[in-house]
Amino acid sequence: MLKHRILFINIIISFVISLPSYSQIGINTENPKYLLHIDGQGNNATSGIVSASQLLDDVVVDNNGNVGLGAIPTVKLEVTGSLFLSGTNLESEMRLISDANGYATWRSIENLLNPIEAVTKGILYGDPTGLTDPNVADPTRSYTWSGTQINAWTNLTRTSIKVTPGTWLVYASMGITGSPSVIGNNFFWMQLRNKTTGAILETVGNLHEFTGGGWAKPQFMKLIVFQQNAELEIWAGNEAASSVNNRYGGSHFGAIKIL
């Protein structure tokens, strides 16, 4: 009889051991809801649902290996509240930047603003080096408007700017001088265009400094959010024949990624 009892107990133990375990481990709580559930302040309900406010001081690990800090995790790590990442030489307005291997460190925003520069057709970008007089136009570095281009848009982009999704500070200025063929209040217009979509992103104009001729310099600086990759160009329109040149530092076209 004893042998039968021992055999029965062994069968029961073997059966229990062979069952898969779905136990949830709770620390400081009698009501664990996840594979591992730590209730920091021990303020969870002893049964039923754990509220969002009660979960704020909890650490949980679900059966997918996702970790939640004060949150129900839907990704590998989900945090409700502030996340602190220490570092050296920290300052305000820094950005968390990763390398090619995914290791992230804090970087000063000043070290991230690397301008992508382009120059307009036939113009020396902001550099008077080699000019006899920086305030005098150099015909070899200028673009002359022909009569057939008056009151028509012309693409003056020698090097377009390719931008990626994010927030960009785009800026441009263009100098024009000469004796217009049409007497009157002549405007010189500059336009920023998205070559990828054909959209016009900015239009600015400047009246010639005095009637019938002189100097005009339209310019703009604008924050633009791009949702997708884009290629930027500068187009210009002139109401009279003139020359675009590099006087007073020349013509600028550039973009800086902010975020």
Side-chain angles (χ1 to χ4, degrees):
M1 188 68 177
L2 181 58
K3 290 182 179 180
H4 289 99
R5 289 180 179 176
I6 293 174
L7 179 60
F8 179 76
I9 292 172
N10 286 336
I11 292 173
I12 294 298
I13 292 174
S14 299
F15 178 75
V16 171
I17 292 176
S18 66
L19 288 175
S21 176
Y22 294 100
S23 298
Q24 294 172 321
I25 300 174
I27 299 178
N28 209 26
T29 178
E30 298 178 359
N31 185 26
K33 296 298 182 181
Y34 302 92
L35 193 63
L36 174 62
H37 192 160
I38 303 173
D39 181 9
Q41 295 185 10
N43 58 358
N44 291 355
T46 56
S47 63
I49 298 172
V50 176
S51 68
S53 60
Q54 293 170 336
L55 192 66
L56 288 175
D57 59 87
D58 294 7
V59 178
V60 302
V61 179
D62 66 15
N63 56 3
N64 293 315
N66 296 332
V67 178
L69 305 180
I72 299 173
T74 57
V75 293
K76 281 302 177 184
L77 177 62
E78 187 162 340
V79 180
T80 297
S82 301
L83 178 65
F84 175 76
L85 179 65
S86 63
T88 57
N89 300 318
L90 297 179
E91 57 188 61
S92 62
E93 301 298 327
M94 297 185 85
R95 297 291 185 268
L96 190 62
I97 303 297
S98 68
D99 62 15
N101 297 315
Y103 294 100
T105 55
W106 291 112
R107 293 277 302 278
S108 171
I109 192 171
E110 293 181 357
N111 296 329
L112 302 177
L113 303 183
N114 298 317
I116 299 175
E117 303 288 2
V119 291
T120 50
K121 184 177 180 180
I123 302 170
L124 179 66
Y125 166 74
D127 182 5
T129 304
L131 295 179
T132 304
D133 184 350
N135 296 323
V136 176
D138 183 347
T140 65
R141 303 176 184 181
S142 301
Y143 182 83
T144 302
W145 236 259
S146 67
T148 59
Q149 292 175 305
I150 295 175
N151 294 319
W153 290 101
T154 301
N155 185 358
L156 289 188
T157 310
R158 187 171 73 185
T159 305
S160 61
I161 294 179
K162 294 181 180 180
V163 298
T164 54
T167 302
W168 291 76
L169 178 65
V170 184
Y171 58 92
S173 66
M174 191 174 293
I176 185 167
T177 188
S179 299
S181 58
V182 180
I183 303 301
N185 295 324
N186 304 308
F187 273 85
F188 179 68
W189 300 93
M190 182 171 61
Q191 204 168 69
L192 174 68
R193 297 189 182 188
N194 183 339
K195 180 181 178 181
T196 307
T197 63
I200 297 173
L201 305 178
E202 183 65 276
T203 301
V204 293
N206 190 216
L207 184 67
H208 284 269
E209 190 170 331
F210 60 86
T211 301
W215 169 259
K217 194 175 180 70
Q219 53 192 325
F220 70 85
M221 181 176 290
K222 184 175 184 178
L223 279 174
I224 304 176
V225 178
F226 294 94
Q227 303 296 336
Q228 59 186 11
N229 292 340
E231 188 173 356
L232 307 181
E233 295 179 331
I234 290 293
W235 289 61
N238 197 8
E239 295 180 353
S242 302
S243 295
V244 180
N245 53 60
N246 65 332
R247 286 184 67 186
Y248 307 127
S251 297
H252 303 195
F253 178 32
I256 301 171
K257 189 170 187 180
I258 304 297
L259 296 172

